[in-house]
Amino acid sequence: MLKYEGMIFDLDGVLTDTARFHYMAWKRLCDEMGMRFDQTLNERLKGIGRMDSLNIILSENKSDLTDEEKLILTERKNRYYQEMISRITPDDLMPGAFELIQKLKELGVKKAVASASRNAATVLKRLGIIDRFDYIVDASAIKNGKPDPEIFLNASQNLWIPPERCIGVEDSEAGIEAIKRAGMYAIGIGAPAVLCKADLVLKDLTDTDRIISLLLR
Ligand code: BG6
Ligand code: MG
């Protein structure tokens, strides 16, 4: 008997380490623009959409630009990011991710991806796992970004599973808040100090037995 029937994964930093590519692409752009950007600021951008991320960087640098200039910069950052993800292979899956997806399938647990990234489908294809999910949220159709629960609620609706029967998995503070506001069980991947609102924090997905035991009554 399953306690949770659906598992909704963030992508960047959960299924693969693309969080580091987002960091490197923003860092390159900021260095070129003479703007300050470091790991602490980057932590606040995890889970946050492209334009909102630029707005946070600009505000931290006490800088302002026109909408047109902002668009040019976000497109430039995206080109740097796309260069990096073009080299992704199935070897770039996070440790434990493939095994967990397999076990969920055997148990009949539905799986979705709820990523704010408009590059999510490309990354999932390159990882070779796009067909293993029952539903992938289209980030461009989501009006309110994380920490708003909309993206996780959209995923559970499309899996046809009520939120309280779903587990969300996230590496960002904003994402954990979104999962909790959606009324789901939250697994954080990363540092317990950052993900303190999660119900459980793990360093990666390798402890599949622990995750599976949560799903069972
Ligand atoms: C999230 C990342 O998954 O996607 C953020 O954590 C990123 O860092 C966001 O800004 C949007 O990604 P993209 O690929 O649409 O720029
Ligand atoms: Mg993430």
Side-chain angles (χ1 to χ4, degrees), residues 10-13 18-19 21-23 26 42 44-54 74 77-78 81-82 85 114-120 123 139 146 170-172:
D10 173 43
L11 172 65
D12 299 319
T18 33
F21 292 153
H22 282 294
Y23 168 78
W26 282 125
N42 183 61
R44 286 173 51 202
L45 306 188
K46 287 188 179 170
I48 307 297
R50 206 180 302 161
M51 188 54 84
D52 288 342
S53 296
L54 178 64
T74 50
K77 182 267 174 179
N78 195 43
Y81 180 69
Q82 287 182 335
I85 60 171
S115 169
S117 174
R118 292 171 191 227
N119 293 294
V123 172
K146 300 167 188 177
E170 261 288 350
D171 70 319
S172 72

Side-chain angles (χ1 to χ4, degrees), residues 11-22 92-94 127:
L11 172 65
D12 299 319
V14 170
L15 293 172
T16 183
D17 192 14
T18 33
R20 118 189 108 97
F21 292 153
H22 282 294
D92 293 303
L93 271 168
M94 282 286 203
L127 291 169

Side-chain angles (χ1 to χ4, degrees), residues 1-156:
M1 182 73 177
L2 288 171
K3 183 171 177 194
Y4 297 99
E5 295 172 288
M7 200 144 189
I8 304 173
F9 294 87
D10 173 43
L11 172 65
D12 299 319
V14 170
L15 293 172
T16 183
D17 192 14
T18 33
R20 118 189 108 97
F21 292 153
H22 282 294
Y23 168 78
M24 285 158 70
W26 282 125
K27 180 72 180 148
R28 179 172 168 192
L29 181 80
C30 289
D31 285 351
E32 287 167 355
M33 298 292 296
M35 290 196 288
R36 190 187 68 81
F37 187 70
D38 57 20
Q39 294 283 4
T40 313
L41 180 50
N42 183 61
E43 202 56 45
R44 286 173 51 202
L45 306 188
K46 287 188 179 170
I48 307 297
R50 206 180 302 161
M51 188 54 84
D52 288 342
S53 296
L54 178 64
N55 283 327
I56 293 172
I57 293 171
L58 290 174
S59 128
E60 280 300 305
N61 281 273
K62 307 206 174 4
S63 175
D64 200 14
L65 298 173
T66 64
D67 286 351
E68 207 184 337
E69 288 166 329
K70 287 183 192 176
L71 196 61
I72 291 170
L73 289 189
T74 50
E75 280 170 359
R76 198 157 116 200
K77 182 267 174 179
N78 195 43
R79 276 201 305 281
Y80 298 159
Y81 180 69
Q82 287 182 335
E83 264 171 47
M84 297 178 207
I85 60 171
S86 69
R87 290 186 287 275
I88 287 179
T89 73
D91 288 342
D92 293 303
L93 271 168
M94 282 286 203
F98 192 77
E99 295 74 10
L100 178 61
I101 291 167
Q102 278 294 108
K103 285 196 182 170
L104 293 175
K105 187 178 180 210
E106 286 159 24
L107 284 169
V109 174
K110 290 253 167 63
K111 302 165 290 302
V113 175
S115 169
S117 174
R118 292 171 191 227
N119 293 294
T122 307
V123 172
L124 289 166
K125 272 186 212 148
R126 294 210 58 87
L127 291 169
I129 53 168
I130 192 155
D131 297 332
R132 302 202 174 241
F133 291 91
D134 302 283
Y135 182 71
I136 294 159
V137 177
D138 173 5
S140 62
I142 300 299
K143 288 190 194 70
N144 306 296
K146 300 167 188 177
D148 190 280
E150 183 181 343
I151 193 165
F152 284 96
L153 291 173
N154 176 297
S156 73

